[in-house]
Amino acid sequence: EQMWRVREKYPNIMLVSSEMCCGFSAYDKNDWQNDARLYLGELFHDINCGSDAFVDWNMLLDYTGGPSYCKNNVKSPVILNEKGDDFILSPIYSALKKFVKLFPVGSRVLRCEFVERGVVAIAREEDEGCAVVVANVTSDEREVAVYCGEKEKTVTLQASEIKLVQF
C-alpha cells in the first residue's frame, strides 16, 4: 500500500525494486521448482505494489550460490558450473523468460488484487481491455476465477504454470 501512495504522489518517478534473489542455500536440483515459484511470487508482488522495474543482483552466480561478501549464498536464474567453463539455465530463468514474454517491457500495469492462496497475478492494459498474467506458485493444480472489471474467466493452472488470460 505504501508503494502505491508513492506511485500516486509521484507518478513520473520510476520505482525500481533492487533486491531480487531467491533462496539461501547452494545448488540443489531438488528444490529449484520451489525457488522459481518463490521468485515469481516476489516479482508479481513488487509489480503489484507499484514497482516499474526490478534489478536482480544475483542473475549469474557460481554453483555454490556465490560469491557473497556476507556468506548468504542464494539461487539465481543462471548458474556457472563447477569448472567455470559453462552455465546452467535454472527453472528460475525459465519462469522469468515466460513472464517477460507474457508481460512485455513497457506494459501499462493495472492495479491487481488476487486473493487465491498460492496464485499470484498481475494485470496490464490492452487496447480493447486487459490481460492478466496468473501464476500458480504451488505444486498442486488450481482452478481460479480471474476478473477484469465485470468480466470473469475460470482457468485451470497446473503446478508452477504461468498463463495469460485476455479479456
Side-chain angles (χ1 to χ4, degrees):
E1 193 62 36
Q2 298 300 330
M3 286 280 286
W4 276 108
R5 287 187 190 154
V6 172
R7 164 69 51 231
E8 289 167 1
K9 189 169 183 175
Y10 305 101
N12 297 322
I13 292 177
M14 180 178 253
L15 300 175
V16 179
S17 299
S18 64
E19 289 298 322
M20 195 68 161
C21 69
C22 189
F24 295 98
S25 62
Y27 177 81
D28 178 356
K29 66 181 179 181
N30 297 319
D31 67 357
W32 279 97
Q33 286 301 330
N34 185 56
D35 290 329
R37 290 188 290 265
L38 291 170
Y39 192 95
L40 278 181
E42 287 297 315
L43 177 59
F44 280 46
H45 174 76
D46 287 351
I47 292 171
N48 277 326
C49 287
S51 181
D52 293 301
F54 76 97
V55 174
D56 186 333
W57 296 108
N58 301 303
M59 184 60 79
L60 169 67
L61 297 174
D62 70 19
Y63 73 99
T64 68
S68 172
Y69 74 93
C70 57
K71 309 280 189 262
N72 68 331
N73 295 3
V74 296
K75 298 291 175 56
S76 69
V78 182
I79 299 291
L80 193 62
N81 73 357
E82 193 167 358
K83 291 181 183 178
D85 62 356
D86 203 359
F87 60 91
I88 300 162
L89 299 177
S90 76
I92 297 170
Y93 176 88
S94 299
L96 187 57
K97 181 179 175 182
K98 178 127 188 196
F99 166 78
V100 169
K101 284 183 178 179
L102 297 178
F103 208 86
V105 172
S107 294
R108 177 156 158 56
V109 178
L110 300 173
R111 193 164 187 179
C112 183
E113 295 180 19
F114 211 80
V115 295
E116 178 73 29
R117 186 172 175 84
V119 177
V120 293
I122 54 175
R124 63 180 162 86
E125 191 175 86
E126 293 196 326
D127 291 338
E128 299 291 325
C130 71
V132 181
V133 179
V134 291
N136 181 355
V137 293
T138 73
S139 57
D140 302 312
E141 181 180 289
R142 297 289 173 102
E143 187 171 291
V144 296
V146 180
Y147 299 89
C148 181
E150 300 296 318
K151 298 176 184 173
E152 175 187 352
K153 290 186 179 181
T154 300
V155 297
T156 301
L157 298 167
Q158 300 303 315
S160 305
E161 184 178 13
I162 306 167
K163 189 176 277 190
L164 180 67
V165 181
Q166 293 180 293
F167 292 89

